[in-house]
């Protein structure tokens, strides 16, 4: 008995083989879609399962940050700036404060600088843990990586709440220092937290980095060369994954980063797996930075410059202050022309620039991989849309 | 293709002295440039018609090698017209320059050559500047609105564009809303 009758076999392999005309199909992803990490929409044109074109649409979260800043006092504006990169609000506050301080020539007490660096690095770890959790979910480990990442994030947020009174948007920094000194048990709690973070990194590393499914899906996906990365304007972990050890904390050190010893982790291929590894290593380096700060910081002292004017007025000047945000180069262009308000403030947001290269990265890949590539960019829409 | 050093050793001091002199020597003499300083960078003022030529020299000159477009920001200088600030960086030499493109004040929608042929990163920066200030970037492949809605043709970051007054639904009726700064 034959399973396939002879005619059928002929039809399958012989003269009657069909050739199908394929039609490109448009798939709309977002703006409300769990894989887009916020209100981001991309219009994929797919041929079967392969992406042939991608058009990103942003602006769903546009709040007019720059216009609002132009109409606010230098100190008031900070409340909007930490809502840009809302996963690491303190880094944004830091960038804003340091830009204004540079423009106005305000000095910051040494202890406040150390406190700032500690808080900014904790924010960086916090943001990277968000990436680890969300990226694991993108790749397919569903809730597991999220749960592991959230354990550490909650602990960091608890510490923020204890120090500054708020979890996500503490508005803890001030132009000229920080609002208040650290609580008494801070050092012990922070050291305990660092151990916890390292354990969390180890857990996530063991959970995903060695996982064959994870590795097979990520390795070699959308490799970026250093030349492409520079031309596309990529910064941060995406640029370092291509092998360029460019970190503004080292290249143009601000605050007290020139006193601290840390390494810049780099990748080799610039692919999605390297981006994952670079962020893991970077979070570990941040724990080392915090440890050094705890060791070296002056135990007593002012945390806010006592000679601040009642109303901060800046006559004229321009500054393009660059900091290493969690996603890349987070810079503030600030122009003053007298008065107590900035004449122009521009945010150079790393997610915005990284996202503009999305189209080139996803074309030619599968739809499922496009989601992973988008996840590996680690965008935060508050920063993209301003 | 730009050359990326394999071993990148960051220098502690960002060299600013001499950069203006290097740029003056590299750029052809018939292009008028004005040099200034900001708190962080060397500032080069130029006219929009020379922008593309100057940026090409800055990108391709061996001693300058500005291979990375950091940022682009429009500024409405009111009576002085619209200005476009462009920040370029060189990975090879670790220096940054700020270009100030001074558009003529009588034009509401000044034409500026697009840098997308030199830097792919310029794409979204230019779209943002175009919608926020009304620049027209000649040679840009797709100058649609980016952050604003597609059919909204306003330029919110112009100084003439007002900020909406806060609406008080209940509470203090007398006196202007908000804090007196």
């Amino acid at each position: 008995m034959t399973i396939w009758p002879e005619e059928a076999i002929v039809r399958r392999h012989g003269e009657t083989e069909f050739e199908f005309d394929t039609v490109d199909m448009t798939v709309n992803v977002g703006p409300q879609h769990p894989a887009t990490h916020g209100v981001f929409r991309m219009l994929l044109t797919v041929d079967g399962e392969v992406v042939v074109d991608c058009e990103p649409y942003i602006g769903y979260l546009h709040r007019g940050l720059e216009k609002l800043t132009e109409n606010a006092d230098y100190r008031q504006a900070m409340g909007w700036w930490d809502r840009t990169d809302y996963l690491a609000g303190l880094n944004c506050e830091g960038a804003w404060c340091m830009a204004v301080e540079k423009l106005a020539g305000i000095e910051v007490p040494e202890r406040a600088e150390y406190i700032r660096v500690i808080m900014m690095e904790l924010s960086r770890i916090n943001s990277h843990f968000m990436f680890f959790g969300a990226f694991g979910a993108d790749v397919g480990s569903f809730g597991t990586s999220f749960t592991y990442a959230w354990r550490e994030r909650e602990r960091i947020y608890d510490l923020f709440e204890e120090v500054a009174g708020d979890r996500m948007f503490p508005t803890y920094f001030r132009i000229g220092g920080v609002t208040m000194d650290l609580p008494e048990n801070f050092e012990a709690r922070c050291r305990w937290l660092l151990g916890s973070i390292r354990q969390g990194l180890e857990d996530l590393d063991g959970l995903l980095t060695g996982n064959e499914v994870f590795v097979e899906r990520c390795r070699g996906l959308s490799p970026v060369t250093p030349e492409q990365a520079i031309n596309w304007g990529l910064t941060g972990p995406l640029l370092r994954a291509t092998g360029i050890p460019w970190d503004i904390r080292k290249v143009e050190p601000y605050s007290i980063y020139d006193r601290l010893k840390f390494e810049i982790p780099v990748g080799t291929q610039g692919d999605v797996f390297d981006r994952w590894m670079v962020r893991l290593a970077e979070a570990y380096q941040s724990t080392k930075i915090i440890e050094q700060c705890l060791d070296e910081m002056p135990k007593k002292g002012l945390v806010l410059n006592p000679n601040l004017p009642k109303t901060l007025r800046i006559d004229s000047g321009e500054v393009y202050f660059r900091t290493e945000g969690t996603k890349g180069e987070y810079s503030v262009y600030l122009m003053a022309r007298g008065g107590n308000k900035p004449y122009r403030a521009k945010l150079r947001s790393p997610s915005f620039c990284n996202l503009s290269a999305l189209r080139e990265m996803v074309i030619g890949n599968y739809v499922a991989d496009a989601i992973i590539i988008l996840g590996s960019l680690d965008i935060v829409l508050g920063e993209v849309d301003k | 293709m730009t050359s990326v050093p394999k071993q990148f050793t960051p220098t502690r001091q960002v060299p600013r002295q001499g950069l203006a002199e290097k740029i003056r020597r590299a750029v052809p003499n018939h292009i008028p440039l004005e040099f200034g300083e900001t708190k962080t960078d060397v500032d080069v003022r130029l006219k929009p018609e020379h922008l593309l030529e100057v940026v090409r020299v800055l990108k391709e000159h061996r001693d300058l090698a500005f291979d990375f477009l950091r940022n682009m920001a429009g500024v409405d200088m009111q009576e002085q017209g619209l200005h476009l600030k462009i920040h370029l960086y060189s990975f090879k030499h670790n220096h940054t320059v700020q270009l100030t493109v001074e558009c003529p004040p009588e034009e509401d929608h000044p034409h500026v050559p697009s840098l997308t042929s030199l830097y792919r990163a310029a794409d979204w920066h230019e779209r943002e500047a175009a919608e926020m200030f009304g620049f027209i970037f000649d040679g840009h492949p797709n100058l649609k609105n980016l952050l604003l809605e597609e059919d909204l043709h306003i330029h919110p970051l112009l100084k003439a564009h007002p900020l909406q007054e806060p609406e008080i639904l209940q509470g203090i009726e007398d006196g202007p809303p908000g804090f007196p700064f």
Side-chain angles (χ1 to χ4, degrees), chain A residues 171-192:
Chain A
T171 326
Y172 178 56
F173 296 172
R174 286 289 180 275
I175 292 158
V178 295
T179 43
M180 51 195 150
D181 210 336
L182 298 171
E184 272 177 19
N185 61 347
F186 178 80
E187 191 178 336
R189 278 204 60 175
C190 193
R191 283 187 197 279
W192 176 84

Side-chain angles (χ1 to χ4, degrees), chain A residues 9-193:
Chain A
I9 294 170
V10 171
R11 207 179 304 130
R12 276 164 60 83
H13 300 292
E15 71 278 5
T16 49
E17 196 172 288
F18 297 112
E19 280 201 6
F20 294 106
D21 284 337
T22 54
V23 179
D24 288 353
M25 207 170 71
T26 311
V27 180
N28 184 42
V29 184
Q32 270 83 27
H33 191 282
T36 56
H37 303 281
V39 276
F40 168 66
R41 174 178 167 225
M42 55 181 176
L43 205 59
L44 298 176
T45 308
V46 293
D47 179 10
E49 237 188 309
V50 179
V51 178
V52 291
D53 197 8
C54 164
E55 193 165 5
Y57 286 90
I58 60 170
Y60 294 94
L61 207 59
H62 181 59
R63 294 150 296 179
L65 164 82
E66 289 160 10
K67 186 77 179 173
L68 286 168
T69 307
E70 284 172 20
N71 287 283
D73 193 60
Y74 284 103
R75 294 169 209 189
Q76 284 179 321
M78 206 166 60
W80 289 304
W81 283 75
D82 65 1
R83 277 151 183 82
T84 55
D85 184 355
Y86 47 73
L87 297 173
L90 283 164
N91 287 48
C92 310
E93 284 176 21
W96 172 252
C97 289
M98 285 186 276
V100 178
E101 283 154 11
K102 180 96 180 170
L103 192 57
I106 295 171
E107 285 189 0
V108 180
E110 199 184 3
R111 184 170 161 81
E113 292 273 27
Y114 277 98
I115 294 174
R116 278 185 179 185
V117 170
I118 291 172
M119 299 301 272
M120 288 199 285
E121 291 305 318
L122 279 173
S123 282
R124 187 186 308 278
I125 295 169
N126 197 354
S127 166
H128 281 353
F129 266 103
M130 176 73 207
F131 166 76
F132 302 143
F135 187 65
D138 282 342
V139 174
S141 79
F142 295 106
T144 319
S145 59
F146 240 101
T147 323
Y148 274 83
W150 238 254
R151 186 185 70 198
E152 309 312 328
R153 293 198 74 215
E154 278 303 317
R155 284 172 182 169
I156 295 171
Y157 274 149
D158 284 349
L159 192 69
F160 281 179
E161 195 177 5
E162 195 172 315
V163 171
D166 195 276
R167 290 152 54 85
M168 278 180 89
F169 309 117
T171 326
Y172 178 56
F173 296 172
R174 286 289 180 275
I175 292 158
V178 295
T179 43
M180 51 195 150
D181 210 336
L182 298 171
E184 272 177 19
N185 61 347
F186 178 80
E187 191 178 336
R189 278 204 60 175
C190 193
R191 283 187 197 279
W192 176 84
L193 182 65

Side-chain angles (χ1 to χ4, degrees), chain A residues 253-321:
Chain A
Y254 52 94
S255 195
I256 50 154
Y257 279 110
D258 49 349
R259 302 182 199 170
L260 304 169
K261 289 187 184 66
F262 61 99
E263 289 160 24
I264 309 175
V266 288
T268 49
Q269 307 290 322
D271 59 358
V272 173
F273 188 74
D274 277 358
R275 295 172 202 163
W276 162 268
M277 290 305 285
V278 162
R279 288 197 178 94
L280 267 184
E282 215 173 273
Y284 186 78
Q285 293 296 327
S286 289
T287 61
K288 278 171 68 178
I289 293 176
I290 297 168
E291 215 157 50
Q292 286 174 52
C293 286
L294 288 174
D295 290 340
E296 292 170 15
M297 74 189 286
K299 301 296 169 204
K300 277 199 184 92
L302 290 169
V303 293
L304 189 63
N305 189 336
N307 304 319
L308 289 173
K310 259 186 182 167
T311 309
L312 184 61
R313 290 173 200 278
I314 304 176
D315 289 339
S316 67
E318 287 174 75
V319 69
Y320 179 65
F321 196 86

Side-chain angles (χ1 to χ4, degrees), chain A residues 55 58 67 70 76 230-232 246 251-252 318 320 322 329 333 343-344 346 348 356 360 386, chain B residues 39-41 67 70-72 74 76 85 89 94 98 120-121 128 144 146 156 158-159 161:
Chain A
E55 193 165 5
I58 60 170
K67 186 77 179 173
E70 284 172 20
Q76 284 179 321
I230 290 174
N231 200 22
W232 292 349
W246 193 72
V251 179
E252 297 167 308
E318 287 174 75
Y320 179 65
R322 39 261 184 185
E329 182 195 331
Y333 171 76
Y343 189 77
R344 172 84 170 105
K346 167 81 164 69
R348 190 264 185 218
S356 70
E360 274 78 359
K386 302 175 193 173
Chain B
K39 296 269 181 191
T40 42
D41 305 301
D67 48 4
R70 280 191 132 161
N71 185 28
M72 208 180 255
D76 179 11
K85 308 276 177 180
Y89 177 74
N94 189 20
Q98 170 178 310
R120 170 64 186 70
E128 194 195 348
K144 289 196 299 186
L146 183 65
L158 293 179
K159 290 288 172 189
H161 189 91

Side-chain angles (χ1 to χ4, degrees), chain B residues 52-64:
Chain B
L52 205 57
E53 199 179 343
V54 169
V55 174
R56 189 167 287 134
V57 170
L58 293 185
K59 189 181 178 188
E60 286 164 7
H61 195 275
R62 193 163 46 91
D63 294 340
L64 300 170

